[in-house]
Amino acid sequence: MSHVSFTRIWCATFHLQYHLQGYHPEMVYILFIVCVAALKVFKKTTPNGKVTVYLEKREFVDHLESIDPIDGVVVVESDYLKGRKVFGQVTLTYRFGREEDEVMGVKFSKEFVVANGQMVPSKDSDKDLTQAQSRLVKKFGANATPFSFKFPSNSPSSVMIQTVNSDDSKPLGVEYSLKTYVGEHIDDKSHKRSTVVMAIKKIQYAPPTRGNRLPSSLASKGFTFSQGKINLEVTLDKEIYYHGEKVTATVVVSNSSRKSVKNMKVMVIQHCEVTMVNNQFSKAVSSMETKEGCPITPGASLTKTFFLTPQASSNKDRHGIALDGHLKDDDVNLASSTLVPEGQAPHEAMGIIISYSMRVKLHCGTLGGELQTDVPFKLMHPAPGTAQGTGGGNQTAVAKPAPAQYANTDDDDNIVFEEFARLRLTADQ
């Protein structure tokens, strides 16, 4: 179950003394192990301490055919509202330029309210509650009101673009936040003392199975004043790789020309398409260059296997690298490939579209030029619950345990509360 964060085990030992006929009395120890699943929820309170919002999770999965709803509970102190109401809105911030470059009224960001509604009093009292909501409502009683918001079907996934010296500036990319505020009408201006803003993420996981398809690409190069061609074939051992896995490429070069191949370069390329400004750029996130087996002379051929591991840790302080959102984490991952529903082209998706390819480049000398080809593949996190998602692979884990300084356990109902941080995206909020 996704809401189970960890298991606490109490061991109770009971001493049972048996007097058995024909045997000396002895102590028999029976160990009872009781495993209780603790519910972990994230909480954040308004500066005035009157309103507290609880979320079961802060990462919501896009399954293509559906998206996890944002389910939570808001707790309001008794006699605080005095006729006012509590409203909520899910905001998408799309920043495609640096904040310090915004001059003369030019803005490099767009903000969209993708969902909003009244939270207290609830207008949807007949909605079925999740297990987490039921337990929180039971704990806080009449002051607790469950709520739920839904992402639009075409909403983009959360992606951050790494920038150099970005400690004090707002991150580039796509980010979401859940804003809860007090007012008389939904369009009222919120006041900081009675407002809660919680950063959330919309993510995608790899399909349950990777399939048996082996991506490949074939390219050739001829020469104007020379007969024959150089043929290059590149094949990958799978179509979907998990973060932390080695990307394996088998390269076959056959030279039927009169030119020689001097060296080879193999790269994993991250492609980013920023749909808001119709801009595209690519960055090599892992590469190697070799002369082993070279020169490949006329009439010769070469088959060689390369292993590359694209990781964010190898691309620190490089501008323009797309990450999965945790800009300040040590275990940050590269942004996952963007999946689109069946029948929709990748360029039709919104936000920042991420894709990867294995690029092999042959250098044929100053006059011969270069021959290159790209083989696309997907780089993603395994879905939780699969063999790889439960530790069967060597990928970096997405979720991290609750920091000790934030964890607060309620022994009566076995609920663990964690103060909501801003996912370490920025220093504010």
Side-chain angles (χ1 to χ4, degrees), residues 38 50-51 116 129 133 153 203 244 255 316-317 342 379 402 418 427:
K50 303 296 184 180
V51 180
N116 63 354
L129 303 184
Q133 287 176 320
S153 58
I203 61 177
N255 188 1
K316 289 186 176 180
D317 301 324
E342 187 176 353
L379 181 65
E418 180 178 344

Side-chain angles (χ1 to χ4, degrees), residues 9 34 210 284 316 329 398 402 409 414 427:
I9 300 178
V34 183
R210 303 203 225 191
K316 289 186 176 180
D329 283 0
V398 182
T409 305
N414 197 27

Side-chain angles (χ1 to χ4, degrees), residues 36 88 110 113 125 159 224 383:
V36 181
K110 297 289 185 181
V113 177
S125 57
V159 177
T224 305

Side-chain angles (χ1 to χ4, degrees), residues 235-305:
T235 305
L236 305 183
D237 65 333
K238 58 176 70 80
E239 184 180 10
I240 299 176
Y241 292 89
Y242 299 137
H243 290 283
E245 285 188 337
K246 292 181 180 179
V247 181
T248 305
T250 301
V251 179
V252 179
V253 181
S254 58
N255 188 1
S256 58
S257 70
R258 296 182 180 180
K259 302 290 183 180
S260 296
V261 177
K262 306 297 182 181
N263 58 30
M264 293 184 290
K265 188 172 184 179
V266 183
M267 299 169 284
V268 173
I269 306 296
Q270 180 189 74
H271 307 277
C272 297
E273 181 180 351
V274 185
T275 59
M276 180 65 70
V277 292
N278 196 24
N279 183 30
Q280 298 180 2
F281 58 92
S282 300
K283 298 283 185 179
V285 293
S286 181
S287 64
M288 68 175 297
E289 189 170 358
T290 180
K291 292 184 178 180
E292 186 176 346
C294 297
I296 304 175
T297 55
S301 61
L302 174 69
T303 300
K304 189 173 180 61
T305 301

